[in-house]
């Protein structure tokens, strides 16, 4: 598979159809891979793909994070199905235009939840929770696919909710609050969860605004709750379940449990699945005169 991708990538770079290809390369030790930016045909042999390719590369297509670089007109990107969901959502929100990006879809059986868990194989103990009920192992929207692409019915619900979400929902409200209180007690507001998220796209994040100050910036419990609840609301119907926020958290807070729950609510209430359509807009950032909420009329 990877040879097919490398050959095709080489052709596109030689013909100057792409300025850069963002993919995965070997990392600093054998358990790790790292994002690579391939600009010359002779560099394409650095591209690899296997279950260590955890990183969600669409973060590099988010213009708030200064990519693509000036002068890059068309960027190639290696995309697992869940990454393509993120790209699709960026296009749906007009953060990216479809013709700026060329997607190399890769078939994927899952990735490890964390590099430290890689022992040479993928198993139930080290597979990322998002992979358990994945319906995009065969990508659905790409410009190049190695081999024959099968048609898969994706009309069913979009399921990435970890068992932890369901366990939390079974708790009484006060116990659930206790859980979050204990989790957020560790948060020191480094904002890694924001920086790694492909859909945190504001030029100035609400938590950084000081005139007026919308969210208490101190990392005490009140400020931390304010930050996480606001972030979860800003991502309603937009989070595509990559799980990167949780993976990036240096103190292991499962930040994405909030977003997974929100995803279920939006899906059940509006029938909307984020990341599956380049044209359909998330329900909470659109307005229609026939909206039911009388208070906005
Ligand atoms: S969610 Fe699906 S596409 Fe994404 S890494 Fe897991 S199995 Fe692969
Ligand atoms: S990455 Fe973790 S510690 Fe940092 S702001 Fe997010 S939840 Fe808090
Ligand atoms: S909120 Fe977390 S899981 Fe959702 S898209 Fe952002 S980084 Fe990924």
């Amino acid at each position: 598979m990877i040879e097919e991708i490398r050959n095709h990538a080489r052709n596109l770079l030689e013909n100057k159809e792409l300025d850069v290809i963002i993919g995965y390369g070997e990392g600093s030790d054998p358990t790790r891979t790292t994002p690579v930016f391939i600009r010359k045909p002779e560099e394409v042999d650095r591209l690899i793909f296997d279950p260590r390719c955890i990183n969600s590369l669409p973060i590099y297509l988010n213009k708030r994070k200064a990519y693509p670089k000036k002068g890059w007109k068309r960027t190639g990107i290696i995309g697992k199905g869940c990454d393509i969901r993120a790209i699709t959502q960026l296009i749906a929100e007009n953060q990216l235009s479809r013709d700026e990006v060329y997607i190399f879809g890769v078939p994927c059986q899952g990735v490890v939840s964390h590099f430290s868990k890689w022992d040479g194989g993928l198993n139930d103990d080290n597979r990322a929770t998002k992979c358990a009920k994945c319906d995009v192992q065969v990508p659905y929207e790409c410009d190049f696919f190695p081999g024959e692409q099968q048609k898969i019915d994706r009309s069913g619900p979009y399921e990435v909710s970890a068992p932890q979400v369901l366990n939390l929902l079974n708790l009484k409200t006060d116990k659930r609050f206790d859980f979050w209180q204990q989790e957020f007690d560790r948060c020191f507001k480094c904002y890694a969860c924001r920086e790694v998220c492909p859909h945190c796209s504001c030029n100035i994040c609400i938590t950084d605004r000081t005139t007026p100050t919308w969210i208490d910036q101190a990392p005490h419990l009140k400020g931390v709750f304010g930050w996480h609840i606001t972030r979860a609301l800003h991502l309603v119907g937009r989070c595509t379940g990559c799980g990167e926020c949780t993976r990036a958290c240096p103190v292991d807070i499962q930040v994405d449990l909030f977003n997974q729950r929100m995803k279920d609510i939006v899906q059940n209430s509006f029938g909307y699945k984020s990341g599956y359509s380049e044209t359909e807009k998330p329900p909470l950032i659109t307005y229609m005169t026939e909206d039911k909420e009388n208070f906005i009329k």
Side-chain angles (χ1 to χ4, degrees):
M1 168 188 86
I2 196 63
E3 270 314 316
E4 264 185 78
I5 291 180
R6 285 174 183 163
N7 288 339
H8 192 63
R10 190 179 294 110
N11 283 341
L12 292 176
L13 287 170
E14 276 170 355
N15 297 335
K16 305 211 178 308
E17 289 176 51
L18 297 178
D19 297 298
V20 63
I21 296 170
I22 307 172
Y24 301 93
E26 289 294 346
S28 51
D29 70 55
T31 63
R32 288 178 169 267
T33 60
T34 190
V36 291
F37 294 74
I38 305 293
R39 303 202 59 192
K40 297 180 185 152
E42 58 271 28
E43 293 172 349
V44 297
D45 288 340
R46 290 181 65 199
L47 291 170
I48 59 164
F49 188 76
D50 62 41
R52 294 171 300 152
C53 298
I54 312 170
N55 302 58
S56 180
L57 300 178
I59 185 68
Y60 296 112
L61 300 173
N62 180 320
K63 290 175 186 167
R64 187 181 80 78
K65 275 116 182 171
Y67 288 94
K69 293 280 186 213
K70 268 194 186 148
W72 289 358
K73 292 200 179 67
R74 201 160 191 225
T75 301
I77 189 165
I78 306 293
K80 310 185 288 290
C82 53
D83 301 331
I84 295 174
R85 255 192 330 238
I87 298 170
T88 303
Q89 192 65 21
L90 286 171
I91 295 169
E93 295 180 19
N94 300 328
Q95 299 288 332
L96 179 73
S97 133
R98 183 65 184 88
D99 53 16
E100 287 175 293
V101 66
Y102 185 95
I103 305 171
F104 295 79
V106 281
C108 170
Q109 296 299 312
V111 292
V112 282
S113 55
H114 201 280
F115 290 123
S116 61
K117 298 196 174 161
W118 177 247
D119 59 5
L122 198 62
N123 53 57
D124 289 346
D125 294 329
N126 66 8
R127 188 182 282 107
T129 52
K130 67 176 175 177
C131 305
K133 294 186 179 169
C134 174
D135 67 348
V136 287
Q137 291 186 333
V138 177
Y140 57 99
E141 173 62 55
C142 54
D143 300 295
F144 178 78
F145 184 78
E148 200 178 323
Q149 201 172 9
Q150 308 144 21
K151 276 260 173 231
I152 292 185
D153 178 14
R154 296 194 173 89
S155 54
Y158 151 34
E159 298 188 55
V160 292
S161 286
Q164 294 96 312
V165 177
L166 305 175
N167 294 343
L168 276 174
L169 287 173
N170 285 334
L171 292 180
K172 290 216 162 85
T173 317
D174 55 340
K175 296 283 176 224
R176 214 182 298 160
F177 187 73
D178 290 347
F179 170 85
W180 284 114
Q181 209 159 1
Q182 278 173 21
E183 290 291 294
F184 289 158
D185 210 25
R186 303 198 298 280
C187 178
F188 59 107
K189 286 197 162 180
C190 67
Y191 301 129
C193 48
R194 173 187 72 187
E195 291 308 306
V196 81
C197 176
H199 305 302
C200 273
S201 305
C202 297
N203 288 330
I204 304 175
C205 176
I206 192 166
T207 194
D208 292 334
R209 287 185 185 271
T210 50
T211 48
T213 299
W214 294 96
I215 299 174
D216 192 334
Q217 291 186 324
H220 51 46
L221 214 50
K222 178 167 154 257
V224 170
F225 262 95
W227 155 237
H228 284 291
I229 290 171
T230 306
R231 181 167 179 274
L233 290 173
H234 284 190
L235 285 159
V236 170
R238 304 178 55 233
C239 164
T240 46
C242 68
E244 288 291 85
C245 46
T246 289
R247 193 172 69 84
C249 179
V251 288
D252 294 328
I253 300 173
Q254 295 185 61
V255 196
D256 67 326
L257 296 186
F258 259 155
N259 307 100
Q260 291 183 23
R261 177 65 187 140
M262 292 293 183
K263 181 269 301 171
D264 288 343
I265 293 172
V266 169
Q267 192 169 284
N268 295 337
S269 306
F270 300 96
Y272 179 80
K273 302 198 283 186
S274 49
Y276 285 75
S277 163
E278 290 176 1
T279 49
E280 201 181 346
K281 304 290 177 201
L284 268 67
I285 62 168
T286 52
Y287 170 75
M288 289 184 292
T289 48
E290 61 270 27
D291 276 343
K292 279 184 279 181
E293 292 87 350
N294 294 330
F295 71 95
I296 55 173
K297 287 191 180 168

